[in-house]
Amino acid sequence: MITKLPKWVEYGAFVLALSAGIVNGIGLLGFEHQAISHLSGTATLIGTDLVNEQSVKLIHLSMILIGFFAGATLSGLVLKDGTLALGRRYDLLLLAEAALLLGAIYPLLNNDYYGLYFAAAACGIQNGLVTGYSGAIVRTTHITGVITDLGLMFGAFIRGEPLNKRKLVLFTVIAIGFVLGGVISALIFPVMGSYAFAVPAGVCVILAIVYRLHMRHVHVRLRDI
């Protein structure tokens, strides 16, 4: 499946992983140190809170999960199938992600933590979008699977199998992008606070514009053939 993806996927995956790393870094640095872009730890805490009877925290964590689920649901509603093709509304989903990230700013400025649910929904949209066009191979909102796949690849390489260079490059740029996003979040959050969400929102808007312009360019070129 990786070999069938267009060459520009690496660039898009890097930028999206960078954006998710920023969002998650902002959540971890402030706002109850809440992970936003992935749900493994959140789901575990939901389980522990069921036993410890911390109802307020349980509701909060459940809403993070529901927000992510709602975002992924929106991606599934907009995208008809998992085939990467020009003309599909990736730009619409990127703009929706940007709107949710911007929508998270005001409530968090007022210490209303429901802003985190908007940010979680934004990450759900992104993960659903990328999963949709990659056939569930590529994730950009977390790197657990990426690191696992890299480990499997190197284990096979030690065993004597050749490395899949396309996979190696793609997974490496995703991991680097996510970590770099964390670096950026550490630089901007102390200065911008909740407004730091405007940075990944801007990244999504730029990606949406680039996609729309590229799609228009391709259509013009095909028309002239």
Side-chain angles (χ1 to χ4, degrees), residues 20 41 43 48 51 57 65 107 135 142 149 162-163 177 207 222 225:
T48 60
V51 174
K57 189 177 178 182
L65 190 151
H142 59 278
D149 286 338
L163 277 176
L207 274 180
L222 290 175
I225 293 176

Side-chain angles (χ1 to χ4, degrees), residues 23-24 27 31-43 45-46 56-72 108 112-124 197:
V23 172
N24 206 47
F31 317 121
E32 297 189 353
H33 308 292
Q34 174 66 56
I36 301 172
S37 69
H38 53 86
L39 298 177
S40 299
T42 300
L45 289 173
I46 287 173
V56 174
K57 189 177 178 182
L58 176 62
I59 292 172
H60 168 69
L61 294 171
S62 298
M63 290 302 298
I64 294 287
L65 190 151
I66 291 170
F68 195 100
F69 175 82
L108 291 173
D112 292 326
Y113 291 106
Y114 68 84
L116 292 174
Y117 313 148
F118 293 160
C123 290
F197 279 121

Side-chain angles (χ1 to χ4, degrees), residues 26 29 31 109 183-197 199:
I26 293 169
L29 289 169
F31 317 121
L109 285 173
V183 172
I184 293 173
S185 71
L187 294 173
I188 64 175
F189 181 73
V191 178
M192 301 177 67
S194 300
Y195 287 110
F197 279 121
V199 175

